[in-house]
């Protein structure tokens, strides 16, 4: 079984577990699963020192992390949210609570961000204090599996490459406790690990781990480079 097949087997098992336990509020399969307890996980995250120190946060756009994004805005933190599928050459929304007239929960949705928030590239961004990522499965060593599209890995690699994420940036994920597995998880060179796992009942600190230095071009399929504008732009610069 190759690495991708190993990852997919874990994802399928976790998705099935969440659906059977009625923990996911929708059909989780194929997605970063929304889960019952996501509000509580956001509350626990907000109790941690890395969150309280953070002034700038980068987050994924999935529903599971909506309570985290809303809390960031409610606490007047500057929020960068990834554009779904990294579909624009400027791949992040800038959501500034000082300029928003919406409630934090509304402003933190993908729909509101697309309609109201400016797009920014890394050249326009401030250094990131805390990265929040969506996850399907994660172990206590911090190895995580997303939904399989690789967008989070690319987003973090872009930020690392441009000096906006470094070894002092804390990377966290919020998940249901059923998504935390005890087994080793398959891991590729381009995968990053998380420093903190926050569930609906636990705060789990993970060991320090190596992070990629940026984009790893040999692992990037040509069709992905073609489909993601910021990668196409960087590929021209990288290979010319």
């Amino acid at each position: 079984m190759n690495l991708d097949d190993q990852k997919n087997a874990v994802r399928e098992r976790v998705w099935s577990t969440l659906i059977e336990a009625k923990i996911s509020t929708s059909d989780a399969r194929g997605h970063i699963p929304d889960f019952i307890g996501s509000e509580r996980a956001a509350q626990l995250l907000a109790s941690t020192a890395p969150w309280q120190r953070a002034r700038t946060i980068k987050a994924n756009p999935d529903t599971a992390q909506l309570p985290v994004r809303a809390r960031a805005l409610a606490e007047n933190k500057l929020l960068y949210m990834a554009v779904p599928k990294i579909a624009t050459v400027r791949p992040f929304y800038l959501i500034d609570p000082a300029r928003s007239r919406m409630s934090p929960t509304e402003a933190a949705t993908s729909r509101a961000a697309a309609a109201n928030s400016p797009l920014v590239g890394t050249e326009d961004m401030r250094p990131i204090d805390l990265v929040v990522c969506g996850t399907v499965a994660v172990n206590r060593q911090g190895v995580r599996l997303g939904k399989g599209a690789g967008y989070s890995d690319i987003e973090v690699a872009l930020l690392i490459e441009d000096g906006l994420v470094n070894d002092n940036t804390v990377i966290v994920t919020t998940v249901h406790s059923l998504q935390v597995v005890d087994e080793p998880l398959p891991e590729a060179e381009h995968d990053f690990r998380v420093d903190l796992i926050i569930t609906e009942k636990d705060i789990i600190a993970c060991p320090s781990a190596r992070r990629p230095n940026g984009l790893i071009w040999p692992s990037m399929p040509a069709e992905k480079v073609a489909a993601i504008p910021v990668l196409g732009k960087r590929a021209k610069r990288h290979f010319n």
Side-chain angles (χ1 to χ4, degrees):
M1 188 182 292
N2 64 30
L3 192 68
D4 286 342
D5 289 340
Q6 293 174 44
K7 289 183 174 183
N8 285 333
V10 176
R11 291 184 186 108
E12 289 294 337
R13 190 181 78 232
V14 171
W15 282 325
S16 294
T17 297
L18 292 172
I19 293 167
E20 288 167 10
K22 295 182 169 48
I23 293 301
S24 179
T25 56
S26 61
D27 186 356
R29 189 166 279 106
H31 304 282
I32 297 297
D34 192 11
F35 61 94
I36 294 171
S38 60
E39 292 275 0
R40 175 59 180 159
Q43 185 180 5
L44 283 178
L45 173 57
S47 73
T48 66
W51 174 272
Q52 293 169 5
R53 288 194 301 264
R55 302 311 310 154
T56 57
I57 292 179
K58 178 268 175 188
N60 58 305
D62 301 278
T63 303
Q65 281 69 48
L66 176 59
V68 175
R69 299 194 302 272
R71 184 173 283 271
L73 297 178
E75 296 183 14
N76 293 312
K77 300 178 190 293
L78 193 69
L79 178 64
Y80 296 109
M81 185 168 73
V83 174
K85 299 184 179 180
I86 326 179
T88 57
V89 72
R90 289 177 290 174
F92 300 97
Y93 296 115
L94 166 60
I95 311 177
D96 185 347
R99 298 185 179 185
S100 176
R101 296 181 179 180
M102 293 178 285
S103 71
T105 298
E106 185 180 2
T109 63
S110 291
R111 182 173 58 186
N116 300 287
S117 299
L119 291 167
V120 292
T122 54
E123 66 277 7
D124 302 312
M125 296 171 65
R126 299 181 193 177
I128 307 300
D129 300 316
L130 189 86
V131 171
V132 181
C133 61
T135 295
V136 174
V138 63
N139 66 19
R140 293 173 183 272
Q141 285 66 52
V143 183
R144 63 171 284 280
L145 301 180
K147 63 187 176 186
Y151 296 127
S152 285
D153 294 316
I154 294 169
E155 293 156 13
V156 169
L158 289 169
L159 296 170
I160 290 173
E161 200 163 83
D162 288 358
L164 298 168
V165 165
N166 57 39
D167 289 343
N168 295 319
T169 307
V170 178
I171 303 180
V172 308
T173 190
T174 56
V175 294
H176 192 273
S177 51
L178 290 177
Q179 294 173 255
V180 182
V181 301
D182 292 325
E183 70 209 67
L185 289 175
E187 190 175 20
E189 184 184 5
H190 61 265
D191 292 327
F192 65 85
R193 295 188 181 190
V194 300
D195 301 301
L196 283 176
I197 304 164
I198 314 293
T199 75
E200 78 288 0
K201 59 185 180 181
D202 289 314
I203 298 169
I204 303 168
C206 304
S208 297
R210 176 198 65 82
R211 294 179 182 173
N213 293 323
L215 294 165
I216 300 174
W217 291 102
S219 71
M220 211 81 69
E223 59 271 19
K224 181 154 284 185
V225 175
I228 298 176
V230 68
L231 289 185
K233 184 178 179 181
R234 292 200 181 207
K236 292 177 183 177
R237 189 171 71 199
H238 181 80
F239 292 107
N240 292 335

